[in-house]
Amino acid sequence: MEREPSERIWPEAADDEDVEEQADAVADFIEELLDRMGVDAIAEPTTHAGHVYVDIVDGPEDDMALLIGRNGQTLDAIQELARTAVGRRLDQRIRVLIDVEDYRKRQDDRLMERARALAERVADSGQEERLDPMNAYERKLVHDAVGEVDGVESVSEGTDPDRFVVVRPA
């Protein structure tokens, strides 16, 4: 059976008790990491649908920028480090999204807006257009945004890490 794109990114959810334990462990790990980095900020964990979200907030602007890094690369590394370290500590596979003062949410909103604008341009011009390579999560956001525009469709092409989305007339 073919899974929906979101299921491929986030396979079956853990039970609520495991997710709460994971959230606490990830927040503790992030707090310790921030302390070792000399960053005075707070890690706020939440859970939703079997996933752990940790938002790093209330830190000095320069420190928050440092945690995000260029194009979110440092943030991606912190997320992967937390996922791996806490997953090994708990001997569980965990699904975690780390954010810094809603940086990822703002980036997601921008990407979706760009995708909708591109879809409208393709609908008007009748000419297909390609986006730059992106990860599976970003491609899913683009496919969802393009799906809101009549007269166009989107497909992923290429192989990771160079997989990209093509938007074309339907």
Side-chain angles (χ1 to χ4, degrees):
M1 176 174 95
E2 179 68 19
R3 288 182 172 210
E4 291 295 315
S6 62
E7 291 174 320
R8 287 192 298 257
I9 297 168
W10 301 106
E12 58 193 67
D15 68 35
D16 289 344
E17 191 174 301
D18 285 345
V19 173
E20 288 298 326
E21 179 185 13
Q22 292 172 1
D24 291 341
V26 171
D28 290 345
F29 177 84
I30 294 296
E31 292 275 353
E32 184 178 333
L33 181 65
L34 294 173
D35 187 50
R36 289 176 184 244
M37 293 175 69
V39 174
D40 183 24
I42 299 168
E44 294 183 340
T46 57
T47 62
H48 178 70
H51 303 96
V52 175
Y53 300 88
V54 177
D55 199 15
I56 302 171
V57 297
D58 294 338
E61 188 175 320
D62 288 348
D63 287 347
M64 298 294 100
L66 174 73
L67 292 173
I68 294 168
R70 184 180 186 115
N71 297 318
Q73 289 176 332
T74 304
L75 183 54
D76 289 342
I78 290 169
Q79 178 173 296
E80 182 62 18
L81 184 62
R83 186 191 64 75
T84 302
V86 174
R88 284 186 181 160
R89 185 181 305 157
L90 298 177
D91 195 28
Q92 296 176 344
R93 176 161 185 215
I94 64 169
R95 292 166 301 279
V96 62
L97 182 71
I98 309 287
D99 204 350
V100 173
E101 294 187 333
D102 291 334
Y103 169 81
R104 289 191 194 276
K105 290 175 189 163
R106 291 189 309 272
Q107 292 299 103
D108 291 353
D109 290 345
R110 283 188 205 117
L111 177 60
M112 291 176 68
E113 185 54 42
R114 268 188 37 228
R116 278 189 287 274
L118 178 73
E120 290 171 4
R121 191 167 63 230
V122 168
D124 291 342
S125 73
Q127 299 294 313
E128 79 175 27
E129 294 198 35
R130 298 176 179 209
L131 286 100
D132 292 332
M134 56 189 74
N135 65 42
Y137 174 75
E138 292 168 330
R139 290 193 308 271
K140 182 186 181 323
L141 291 177
V142 170
H143 290 303
D144 290 349
V146 170
E148 297 172 5
V149 178
D150 291 333
V152 295
E153 63 183 10
S154 60
V155 295
S156 292
E157 294 183 0
T159 56
D160 284 328
D162 297 318
R163 198 155 166 81
F164 58 92
V165 175
V166 176
V167 180
R168 60 186 180 207

